[in-house]
PDB file of all heavy atoms in Angstrom:
ATOM      1  N   LEU L  51     -45.115   3.278  24.228  1.00 98.00           N
ATOM      2  CA  LEU L  51     -46.140   4.078  23.575  1.00 98.00           C
ATOM      3  C   LEU L  51     -45.944   4.096  22.060  1.00 98.00           C
ATOM      4  O   LEU L  51     -46.897   3.963  21.289  1.00 98.00           O
ATOM      5  CB  LEU L  51     -46.122   5.495  24.121  1.00 98.00           C
ATOM      6  CG  LEU L  51     -46.538   5.684  25.587  1.00 98.00           C
ATOM      7  CD1 LEU L  51     -46.211   7.101  26.057  1.00 98.00           C
ATOM      8  CD2 LEU L  51     -48.020   5.398  25.777  1.00 98.00           C
ATOM      9  N   SER L  52     -44.687   4.245  21.635  1.00 98.00           N
ATOM     10  CA  SER L  52     -44.397   4.345  20.204  1.00 98.00           C
ATOM     11  C   SER L  52     -44.763   3.081  19.443  1.00 98.00           C
ATOM     12  O   SER L  52     -45.199   3.141  18.293  1.00 98.00           O
ATOM     13  CB  SER L  52     -42.910   4.665  19.983  1.00 98.00           C
ATOM     14  OG  SER L  52     -42.573   5.934  20.518  1.00 98.00           O
ATOM     15  N   LEU L  53     -44.591   1.923  20.089  1.00 97.00           N
ATOM     16  CA  LEU L  53     -44.921   0.681  19.384  1.00 97.00           C
ATOM     17  C   LEU L  53     -46.412   0.520  19.186  1.00 97.00           C
ATOM     18  O   LEU L  53     -46.847  -0.342  18.428  1.00 97.00           O
ATOM     19  CB  LEU L  53     -44.322  -0.520  20.104  1.00 97.00           C
ATOM     20  CG  LEU L  53     -42.844  -0.761  19.800  1.00 97.00           C
ATOM     21  CD1 LEU L  53     -42.385  -2.095  20.387  1.00 97.00           C
ATOM     22  CD2 LEU L  53     -42.566  -0.752  18.318  1.00 97.00           C
ATOM     23  N   GLY L  54     -47.213   1.367  19.852  1.00 98.00           N
ATOM     24  CA  GLY L  54     -48.629   1.381  19.518  1.00 98.00           C
ATOM     25  C   GLY L  54     -48.853   1.797  18.076  1.00 98.00           C
ATOM     26  O   GLY L  54     -49.860   1.439  17.453  1.00 98.00           O
ATOM     27  N   ALA L  55     -47.891   2.548  17.510  1.00 98.00           N
ATOM     28  CA  ALA L  55     -48.006   2.969  16.117  1.00 98.00           C
ATOM     29  C   ALA L  55     -47.957   1.782  15.163  1.00 98.00           C
ATOM     30  O   ALA L  55     -48.483   1.860  14.046  1.00 98.00           O
ATOM     31  CB  ALA L  55     -46.881   3.954  15.778  1.00 98.00           C
ATOM     32  N   SER L  56     -47.336   0.689  15.584  1.00 98.00           N
ATOM     33  CA  SER L  56     -47.300  -0.512  14.737  1.00 98.00           C
ATOM     34  C   SER L  56     -48.705  -1.087  14.562  1.00 98.00           C
ATOM     35  O   SER L  56     -49.133  -1.407  13.440  1.00 98.00           O
ATOM     36  CB  SER L  56     -46.364  -1.564  15.332  1.00 98.00           C
ATOM     37  OG  SER L  56     -45.019  -1.147  15.259  1.00 98.00           O
ATOM     38  N   LEU L  57     -49.442  -1.227  15.662  1.00 98.00           N
ATOM     39  CA  LEU L  57     -50.807  -1.729  15.574  1.00 98.00           C
ATOM     40  C   LEU L  57     -51.699  -0.740  14.832  1.00 98.00           C
ATOM     41  O   LEU L  57     -52.542  -1.151  14.014  1.00 98.00           O
ATOM     42  CB  LEU L  57     -51.368  -2.010  16.963  1.00 98.00           C
ATOM     43  CG  LEU L  57     -52.811  -2.546  17.017  1.00 98.00           C
ATOM     44  CD1 LEU L  57     -52.935  -3.856  16.262  1.00 98.00           C
ATOM     45  CD2 LEU L  57     -53.258  -2.723  18.471  1.00 98.00           C
ATOM     46  N   ILE L  58     -51.522   0.543  15.079  1.00 98.00           N
ATOM     47  CA  ILE L  58     -52.333   1.546  14.405  1.00 98.00           C
ATOM     48  C   ILE L  58     -52.124   1.485  12.892  1.00 98.00           C
ATOM     49  O   ILE L  58     -53.079   1.414  12.114  1.00 98.00           O
ATOM     50  CB  ILE L  58     -52.012   2.949  14.935  1.00 98.00           C
ATOM     51  CG1 ILE L  58     -52.468   3.099  16.387  1.00 98.00           C
ATOM     52  CG2 ILE L  58     -52.670   4.033  14.061  1.00 98.00           C
ATOM     53  CD1 ILE L  58     -51.982   4.371  17.051  1.00 98.00           C
ATOM     54  N   ALA L  59     -50.874   1.518  12.470  1.00 98.00           N
ATOM     55  CA  ALA L  59     -50.583   1.532  11.032  1.00 98.00           C
ATOM     56  C   ALA L  59     -51.050   0.254  10.361  1.00 98.00           C
ATOM     57  O   ALA L  59     -51.649   0.285   9.273  1.00 98.00           O
ATOM     58  CB  ALA L  59     -49.076   1.730  10.827  1.00 98.00           C
ATOM     59  N   GLU L  60     -50.787  -0.886  10.995  1.00 98.00           N
ATOM     60  CA  GLU L  60     -51.208  -2.155  10.409  1.00 98.00           C
ATOM     61  C   GLU L  60     -52.733  -2.260  10.344  1.00 98.00           C
ATOM     62  O   GLU L  60     -53.299  -2.728   9.357  1.00 98.00           O
ATOM     63  CB  GLU L  60     -50.634  -3.318  11.207  1.00 98.00           C
ATOM     64  CG  GLU L  60     -50.830  -4.670  10.568  1.00 98.00           C
ATOM     65  CD  GLU L  60     -50.162  -5.798  11.325  1.00 98.00           C
ATOM     66  OE1 GLU L  60     -49.282  -5.524  12.171  1.00 98.00           O
ATOM     67  OE2 GLU L  60     -50.518  -6.969  11.060  1.00 98.00           O
ATOM     68  N   GLY L  80     -47.260  -1.983   7.907  1.00 97.00           N
ATOM     69  CA  GLY L  80     -47.489  -1.005   8.962  1.00 97.00           C
ATOM     70  C   GLY L  80     -46.744  -1.334  10.246  1.00 97.00           C
ATOM     71  O   GLY L  80     -46.432  -0.438  11.050  1.00 97.00           O
ATOM     72  N   TYR L  81     -46.422  -2.605  10.449  1.00 98.00           N
ATOM     73  CA  TYR L  81     -45.763  -3.050  11.679  1.00 98.00           C
ATOM     74  C   TYR L  81     -44.421  -2.365  11.927  1.00 98.00           C
ATOM     75  O   TYR L  81     -44.117  -1.994  13.079  1.00 98.00           O
ATOM     76  CB  TYR L  81     -45.592  -4.577  11.615  1.00 98.00           C
ATOM     77  CG  TYR L  81     -45.062  -5.239  12.854  1.00 98.00           C
ATOM     78  CD1 TYR L  81     -45.880  -5.553  13.924  1.00 98.00           C
ATOM     79  CD2 TYR L  81     -43.709  -5.606  12.932  1.00 98.00           C
ATOM     80  CE1 TYR L  81     -45.391  -6.202  15.048  1.00 98.00           C
ATOM     81  CE2 TYR L  81     -43.216  -6.252  14.061  1.00 98.00           C
ATOM     82  CZ  TYR L  81     -44.056  -6.561  15.113  1.00 98.00           C
ATOM     83  OH  TYR L  81     -43.564  -7.205  16.224  1.00 98.00           O
ATOM     84  N   VAL L  83     -43.533   0.586  11.472  1.00 98.00           N
ATOM     85  CA  VAL L  83     -43.637   2.020  11.790  1.00 98.00           C
ATOM     86  C   VAL L  83     -43.207   2.298  13.225  1.00 98.00           C
ATOM     87  O   VAL L  83     -42.409   3.211  13.500  1.00 98.00           O
ATOM     88  CB  VAL L  83     -45.079   2.530  11.540  1.00 98.00           C
ATOM     89  CG1 VAL L  83     -45.236   3.947  12.088  1.00 98.00           C
ATOM     90  CG2 VAL L  83     -45.394   2.500  10.051  1.00 98.00           C
ATOM     91  N   GLY L  84     -43.724   1.532  14.160  1.00 97.00           N
ATOM     92  CA  GLY L  84     -43.354   1.740  15.562  1.00 97.00           C
ATOM     93  C   GLY L  84     -41.873   1.521  15.802  1.00 97.00           C
ATOM     94  O   GLY L  84     -41.238   2.267  16.570  1.00 97.00           O
ATOM     95  N   ILE L  87     -39.776   4.466  14.697  1.00 97.00           N
ATOM     96  CA  ILE L  87     -39.823   5.550  15.678  1.00 97.00           C
ATOM     97  C   ILE L  87     -38.897   5.238  16.855  1.00 97.00           C
ATOM     98  O   ILE L  87     -38.127   6.092  17.305  1.00 97.00           O
ATOM     99  CB  ILE L  87     -41.270   5.752  16.184  1.00 97.00           C
ATOM    100  CG1 ILE L  87     -42.180   6.200  15.029  1.00 97.00           C
ATOM    101  CG2 ILE L  87     -41.312   6.779  17.317  1.00 97.00           C
ATOM    102  CD1 ILE L  87     -43.647   6.187  15.389  1.00 97.00           C
ATOM    103  N   VAL L 137     -51.215   2.836  25.770  1.00 98.00           N
ATOM    104  CA  VAL L 137     -51.666   3.126  24.405  1.00 98.00           C
ATOM    105  C   VAL L 137     -52.802   2.190  23.999  1.00 98.00           C
ATOM    106  O   VAL L 137     -53.750   2.593  23.308  1.00 98.00           O
ATOM    107  CB  VAL L 137     -50.486   3.072  23.410  1.00 98.00           C
ATOM    108  CG1 VAL L 137     -50.012   1.644  23.182  1.00 98.00           C
ATOM    109  CG2 VAL L 137     -50.887   3.715  22.078  1.00 98.00           C
TER     110      VAL L 137
END
Side-chain angles (χ1 to χ4, degrees):
L51 293 169
S52 296
L53 279 189
S56 291
L57 180 59
I58 292 170
E60 189 176 344
Y81 186 82
V83 171
I87 297 170
V137 72

